[in-house]
């Protein structure tokens, strides 16, 4: 209710919000499609993980589109994030928050409308040190993949959600790799975080490398109905009863369950299948721990939660997930991110993937740790960055 009052004040007392709304709904239809909202909100310069949370709070009805009031909620939350506040409805009525800022994609401006002639904050001596680390990681074609950068980031022992934000801010062109300058941005943010500074929600203009300032990144076009973040976070299914956990991982589900009773809705299954197709690099119909690790870690969930979800979904205890098991894993992650629901102790009948329901499962707990080595190495890597800093 407080949010509604504040929205009334915003819409009547702040023409900036109306101006932004007219840009996304020029015909006055009263509705903003997901693709249009995604393209516009990306111009805020906020990381995708932050935009995902903003979308979830604004699209509270999970319709995949926003009305005017919901778009104002998104704008207000963008303003909060750009001011360094937590993205939460409790900060909605915070006083003194300036209107949100969005850069013009047709101009050489950075997020927030700041000109790009400020000097780069990464000093020459720091850049030399970062370049040495970059070269030690064996770049290919002047680029480092996420797999090569990730161990260095993880060795900092910073929280996973902080590292996810570092990656989002550093991968300026959103190609899943870092060039020499982007890697320097990542290292700069990590070093500052190790010194106790907070990682910003959006990349400050002086931190954008000069080589990137004339080439603003083009956000991907998100199809209608999909939130403007990772395809990992579609709208959750409507009402599903998660209270029944009578089934276990080692026993087959009750006889004759139907696919229609699965907790993963058909619409979400289609979205998850698209992610699976991109993740299954060797196209063997299975995804391994290393293949899904990027997706899992970008959620920012604790490694123990991610390991628990993997354990539940790796029904055959083979260290890999089928297409349906992968969809179930993303569903459980989505439930935790959007609704705060922890993964269950065991899979209930309605959670068991349809293709696994008629097969008895082996509960090989002795090999479980090996299956999870890709995720649990979070706790065993040495602190290379601190050593380099010393």
């Amino acid at each position: 209710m407080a949010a509604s009052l504040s929205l009334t004040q915003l819409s009547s007392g702040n023409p900036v919000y109306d101006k932004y709304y007219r840009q996304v709904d020029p015909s006055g239809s009263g509705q903003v499609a997901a693709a249009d909202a995604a393209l516009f909100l990306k111009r805020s310069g906020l990381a995708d993980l932050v935009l995902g949370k903003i979308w979830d709070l604004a699209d509270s009805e999970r319709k995949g589109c926003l009305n005017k009031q919901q778009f104002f909620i998104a704008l207000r939350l963008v303003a909060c994030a750009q001011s360094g506040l937590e993205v939460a409805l409790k900060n909605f009525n915070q006083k003194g928050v300036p209107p949100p800022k969005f850069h013009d994609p047709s101009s050489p401006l950075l997020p927030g409308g700041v000109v790009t002639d400020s000097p780069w904050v990464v000093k020459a001596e720091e850049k030399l040190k970062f370049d040495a680390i970059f070269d030690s990681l064996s770049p290919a074609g002047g680029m480092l993949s996420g797999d090569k950068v990730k161990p260095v980031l993880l060795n900092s022992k910073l929280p996973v959600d902080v590292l996810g934000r570092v990656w989002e801010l550093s991968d300026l062109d959103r190609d899943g790799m870092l060039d020499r300058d982007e890697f320097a941005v990542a290292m700069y943010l990590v070093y500052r975080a190790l010194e106790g500074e907070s990682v910003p929600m959006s990349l400050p203009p002086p931190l954008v490398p000069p080589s990137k300032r004339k080439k603003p990144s083009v956000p991907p076009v998100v199809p209608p109905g999909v939130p403007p973040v990772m395809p990992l976070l579609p709208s959750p299914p409507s009402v599903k009863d998660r209270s029944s956990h009578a089934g276990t991982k080692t026993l087959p589900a009750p006889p004759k369950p139907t696919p229609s009773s699965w907790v993963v809705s058909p619409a979400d299954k289609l979205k998850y299948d698209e992610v699976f197709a991109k993740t299954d690099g060797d196209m063997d119909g299975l995804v391994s721990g290393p293949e899904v690790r990027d997706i899992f870690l970008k959620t920012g969930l604790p490694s123990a939660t991610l390991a628990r979800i993997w354990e539940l979904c790796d029904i055959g205890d083979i260290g890999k997930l089928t297409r349906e098991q992968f969809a179930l894993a993303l569903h459980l992650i989505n439930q935790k991110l959007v609704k705060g629901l922890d993964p269950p102790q065991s899979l209930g009948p309605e959670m068991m993937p349809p293709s696994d329901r008629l097969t008895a499962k082996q509960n090989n707990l002795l090999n479980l740790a090996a299956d999870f080595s890709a995720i649990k190495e979070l706790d065993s890597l040495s602190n290379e960055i601190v050593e380099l800093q010393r």
Side-chain angles (χ1 to χ4, degrees):
M1 189 63 66
S4 299
L5 290 174
S6 180
L7 284 170
T8 303
Q9 296 164 358
L10 283 174
S11 58
S12 61
N14 195 329
V16 175
Y17 284 76
D18 273 322
K19 183 186 84 170
Y20 286 146
Y21 182 77
R22 286 194 297 271
Q23 292 182 30
V24 294
D25 185 20
S27 63
S29 66
Q31 202 170 67
V32 182
D36 296 331
L39 288 169
F40 185 86
L41 294 176
K42 288 282 283 186
R43 288 164 46 194
S44 67
L46 297 174
D48 284 350
L49 292 174
V50 178
L51 290 176
K53 190 169 185 181
I54 289 173
W55 177 271
D56 289 334
L57 291 172
D59 184 24
S60 56
E61 299 173 357
R62 302 291 179 257
K63 291 184 176 179
C65 60
L66 303 179
N67 59 31
K68 187 173 183 179
Q69 186 181 61
Q70 291 169 328
F71 187 72
F72 279 174
I73 290 176
L75 292 180
R76 180 67 175 179
L77 292 173
V78 167
C80 290
Q82 289 178 336
S83 298
L85 299 173
E86 179 188 358
V87 176
L89 293 179
K90 67 181 181 182
N91 290 327
F92 201 90
N93 297 324
Q94 191 86 13
K95 294 182 179 180
V97 177
K101 296 179 181 179
F102 300 89
H103 73 86
D104 182 352
S106 64
S107 71
L109 298 186
L110 293 171
V114 182
V115 293
T116 61
D117 57 357
S118 54
W120 197 20
V121 297
V122 179
K123 301 293 189 292
E125 57 271 20
E126 285 183 309
K127 184 63 161 58
L128 288 174
K129 180 169 57 178
F130 299 152
D131 283 349
I133 302 174
F134 181 89
D135 291 331
S136 72
L137 298 175
S138 304
M143 306 290 286
L144 288 175
S145 66
D147 287 339
K148 290 184 177 180
V149 176
K150 192 169 298 297
V152 178
L153 297 181
L154 295 178
N155 289 347
S156 70
K157 302 300 183 185
L158 292 172
V160 175
D161 59 332
V162 173
L163 294 177
R165 198 184 312 161
V166 167
W167 177 269
E168 292 285 348
L169 294 174
S170 307
D171 185 14
L172 292 162
D173 47 15
R174 300 293 187 266
D175 61 355
M177 297 184 290
L178 300 185
D179 62 21
R180 193 175 294 270
D181 286 348
E182 291 173 325
F183 182 78
V185 172
M187 290 294 95
Y188 181 91
L189 291 171
V190 167
Y191 271 68
R192 295 304 173 271
L194 289 172
E195 293 172 359
E197 297 183 19
S198 60
V199 175
M201 291 294 186
S202 58
L203 199 63
L207 193 45
V208 177
S211 63
K212 304 291 181 182
R213 296 183 179 183
K214 298 297 181 180
K215 298 178 288 186
S217 61
V218 179
V221 177
V222 183
V226 182
V229 262
M230 294 179 290
L232 171 59
L233 308 174
S235 303
S238 50
V239 178
K240 294 289 181 184
D241 178 16
R242 294 176 53 91
S243 61
S244 172
H245 302 317
T248 68
K249 184 175 177 179
T250 57
L251 295 177
K256 297 183 180 178
T258 60
S260 61
S261 64
W262 197 22
V263 291
V264 181
S265 69
D268 286 350
K269 178 63 164 54
L270 288 174
K271 298 169 187 174
Y272 297 147
D273 284 349
E274 291 179 8
V275 184
F276 182 89
K278 296 176 182 178
T279 308
D280 183 16
D282 52 9
M283 300 180 66
D284 63 349
L286 298 167
V287 290
S288 63
E291 286 177 314
V292 305
R293 201 174 61 162
D294 279 354
I295 293 176
F296 275 35
L297 291 179
K298 285 184 86 172
T299 66
L301 293 178
S303 58
T305 301
L306 295 173
R308 178 63 187 152
I309 289 173
W310 178 281
E311 176 188 353
L312 288 167
C313 298
D314 181 16
I315 295 170
D317 291 324
I318 63 173
K320 294 185 177 183
L321 302 182
T322 66
R323 184 182 297 269
E324 287 186 350
Q325 292 166 354
F326 179 76
L328 178 62
L330 297 196
H331 169 79
L332 295 176
I333 287 174
N334 193 44
Q335 292 288 293
K336 177 63 176 176
L337 287 171
V338 177
K339 297 183 177 180
L341 296 175
D342 291 321
Q345 292 302 309
S346 59
L347 293 182
E350 78 285 355
M351 292 186 179
M352 189 70 68
S355 60
D356 289 309
R357 292 179 178 182
L358 300 179
T359 307
K361 309 304 181 302
Q362 303 266 337
N363 192 9
N364 189 357
L365 294 178
L366 294 177
N367 292 329
L368 193 57
D371 295 341
F372 284 82
S373 59
I375 295 175
K376 289 192 173 179
E377 65 185 5
L378 280 169
D379 301 321
S380 61
L381 292 168
S382 62
N383 198 336
E384 292 178 2
I385 287 184
V386 172
E387 292 174 0
L388 287 167
Q389 191 176 29
R390 289 172 183 167

